[in-house]
Amino acid sequence: MGEASNWNELEKKIAAAVRLSRRPVAVTFLASEPAGVEKFAGTEPSGCSFWRLAAAGRSFYTLPENHFNCAVGAYTHNIPLSAERQSETEQTLKMMFDLGYVKPEEVPQIPRLAKTPRAILYAPLGEATGVPDVVLFSCKPAAAMLLSEAAGRAGVASGSPALGRPTCMALPATMQDGSILSLGCIGNRVYTGLGEDEMYLVVRGKDVAAIADALGVIARANSALNEYAKGRRQQLASA
């Protein structure tokens, strides 16, 4: 499954079954810098901003310092900030506490990567060159429903309720427990352009093939049940 052609076939197979807002994004946490891949040059305001670039078709990798602009994302990715940037974490958290956005006691419960990555590889799913750690699907709720049901049928769903803020905690949570729905967060929606009518399903890369296979059954079942429900509504609804 490491061959790019197979990932391309899987992306096409999934896209044929569900309507996706943009290309799925493959994310891989690496112990060393990869060869033959573009090294990101520039700045972005957050780690999830790199999802936007990959969904648009770019394949590249980042280093830990590329994530220093987002204290929250650095936390979930277990990336220690430099000494001069450490105070930004405290300032960001204080602002969120003062706004009532998050409570201090919630912070230790936020999932984090087990260890700091040396590099992070981003690519559209169809252009992945190895098995990614996670794959992010951004889509409308109807598509997320189908993908989530397929993950359940494939036996790779976490069984956890949908996650909220911060969106990036869905990556380590998925790696640990299996596929998870994420409602996103306001920062992620601004940085990625995720619509107010969109959400995420995050799955482990090793589970994508099983989900794609189950998706065919789920899509056909939903199509049949759609007609069944329409008929019952027409027959039984009094208003």
Side-chain angles (χ1 to χ4, degrees):
M1 185 53 64
E3 294 298 324
S5 59
N6 290 335
W7 292 110
N8 186 46
E9 291 169 6
L10 280 175
E11 181 176 339
K12 289 180 178 179
K13 184 176 182 178
I14 292 170
V18 297
R19 187 175 301 174
L20 300 176
S21 306
R22 62 205 77 188
R23 296 186 70 180
V25 173
V27 182
T28 310
F29 300 100
L30 302 172
S32 60
E33 295 184 42
V37 181
E38 174 195 353
K39 181 177 180 179
F40 176 77
T43 61
E44 288 293 337
S46 68
C48 60
S49 296
F50 300 118
W51 308 355
R52 182 189 76 246
L53 302 181
R58 289 181 59 182
S59 297
F60 60 94
Y61 72 92
T62 62
L63 298 178
E65 52 264 34
N66 296 129
H67 296 256
F68 284 178
N69 284 334
C70 182
V72 175
Y75 177 84
T76 63
H77 285 31
N78 200 357
I79 295 175
L81 296 179
S82 60
E84 60 270 21
R85 305 294 294 272
Q86 185 61 45
S87 62
E88 293 183 21
T89 300
E90 299 174 2
Q91 294 171 2
T92 300
L93 289 176
K94 183 178 184 305
M95 175 186 66
M96 292 181 175
F97 295 156
D98 292 345
L99 289 171
Y101 183 65
V102 65
K103 296 178 180 179
E105 58 267 28
E106 293 181 74
V107 175
Q109 301 172 19
I110 295 175
R112 305 179 72 190
L113 292 180
K115 59 182 180 180
T116 303
R118 180 66 187 88
I120 305 176
L121 177 62
Y122 299 88
L125 175 59
E127 297 169 30
T129 55
V131 180
D133 288 309
V134 295
V135 177
L136 300 117
F137 294 90
S138 54
C139 48
K140 294 184 184 297
M145 174 191 74
L146 295 175
L147 287 166
S148 181
E149 289 176 358
R153 179 177 175 81
V156 297
S158 68
S160 301
L163 298 180
R165 78 285 189 268
T167 309
C168 50
M169 72 177 174
L171 278 64
T174 295
M175 291 171 64
Q176 178 176 325
D177 299 321
S179 70
I180 291 179
L181 288 165
S182 171
L183 302 177
C185 63
I186 190 60
N188 174 270
R189 291 182 181 279
V190 172
Y191 297 141
T192 66
L194 188 75
E196 62 180 16
D197 58 345
E198 296 175 308
M199 60 190 299
Y200 293 101
L201 179 76
V202 187
V203 308
R204 293 178 296 208
K206 65 181 182 180
D207 297 333
V208 173
I211 292 173
D213 287 341
L215 190 56
V217 176
I218 291 297
R220 289 191 295 272
N222 272 268
S223 179
L225 289 169
N226 178 57
E227 295 305 313
Y228 171 75
K230 282 182 177 179
R232 285 180 57 79
R233 176 176 174 176
Q234 184 175 13
Q235 294 172 6
L236 302 175
S238 60

